[in-house]
Amino acid sequence: MSLAVELKGVSFAYPGGPPVLKGVDLAIRTGEFVTIAGLLFGEPADRVGDRYRIGYLAQRARLGIDAPATVSEVVAAGRVARRGLLKPFGREDRAAIAAAIGRVGLEERASTPVQRLSGGQQQRAYIAKALAGEPELLVLDEPTAGVDVDAQEAFGAFLGELHEALGVTILYVSHEFGAVERFVERVVLVRGGIVFDGSPAALPAHWHDPSHVHL
């Protein structure tokens, strides 16, 4: 099976600090839903030619939600990576934008400024932006930071449905993974190196998130 992400011997340290990562090897297969750059689609991360193949959702604190742009305008910006900055949108582009908005259930909010949406709706709007480019890999960076447990659970269920419907590779990077534990295929825990890589069912009890109890 083809790989969406491959890391080989990755090490990292902040200037003047101890190593945070040391000699990390990791391979993520196409279509997997994994919670936790390396090589993406067989190319170094800084030389990936088709950037639209990667959809990225930044941490909520960095989403810039004070911008007056509407949901449609925000989602349309996600189509630029595939279409190109100077090319006008065609019928296919407009259909992809509408489909992305519909996929996250914001059809009735398409003309609403993003700043007027609830926190959960803002997350979905930016997911739609990432989906508008029809990516093969969806990367989410701490998507539930500052969100209460109920909202995390709802977001986790939404991602599970999205993965099942689209089959897109999802890399969920967060310290809080309990909300997606029922839906991911692999949990990768990193502490200097990889200390666990396997099915959520095999995760040792002391590493489970106590705020998310799934009976």
Side-chain angles (χ1 to χ4, degrees):
M1 182 177 289
S2 62
L3 296 179
V5 178
E6 184 178 18
L7 309 180
K8 289 185 176 180
V10 175
S11 298
F12 174 79
Y14 290 102
V20 178
L21 298 175
K22 187 174 181 180
V24 172
D25 296 331
L26 178 67
I28 297 175
R29 296 184 296 274
T30 299
E32 277 196 297
F33 187 176
V34 180
T35 182
I36 19 178
L39 294 179
L40 304 176
F41 303 112
E43 299 181 78
D46 61 353
R47 294 207 301 272
V48 175
D50 299 324
R51 293 301 177 95
Y52 67 83
R53 298 173 72 187
I54 305 171
Y56 177 68
L57 178 67
Q59 188 172 345
R60 286 188 75 244
R62 298 198 299 269
L63 289 181
I65 58 177
D66 290 332
T70 66
V71 169
S72 289
E73 290 168 338
V74 167
V75 177
R79 188 68 182 175
V80 172
R82 177 177 283 271
R83 183 65 175 173
L85 184 61
L86 301 179
K87 295 181 181 178
F89 287 159
R91 180 180 301 177
E92 182 179 344
D93 301 303
R94 290 191 291 271
I97 292 166
I101 293 172
R103 178 70 67 183
V104 302
L106 291 179
E107 303 98 317
E108 296 183 359
R109 294 284 193 165
S111 299
T112 302
V114 172
Q115 63 185 359
R116 288 172 50 191
L117 301 179
S118 67
Q121 289 172 329
Q122 288 170 2
Q123 284 180 318
R124 289 177 179 244
Y126 282 91
I127 285 281
K129 177 187 176 183
L131 294 178
E134 300 175 282
E136 298 170 31
L137 171 65
L138 183 60
V139 181
L140 300 98
D141 177 13
E142 295 280 3
T144 58
V147 177
D148 63 45
V149 172
D150 288 342
Q152 290 180 27
E153 289 284 339
F155 188 63
F158 165 70
L159 289 178
E161 294 169 2
L162 190 68
H163 180 252
E164 184 175 352
L166 300 181
V168 65
T169 309
I170 299 179
L171 180 57
Y172 182 101
V173 182
S174 178
H175 292 94
E176 302 171 317
F177 59 87
V180 295
E181 195 173 319
R182 292 176 294 166
F183 308 104
V184 298
E185 294 155 293
R186 287 168 62 194
V187 174
V188 178
L189 300 183
V190 179
R191 184 179 295 164
I194 294 176
V195 296
F196 178 85
D197 182 354
S199 164
L203 189 68
H206 63 280
W207 277 330
H208 285 278
D209 186 343
S211 64
H212 297 270
V213 179
H214 303 131
L215 302 177

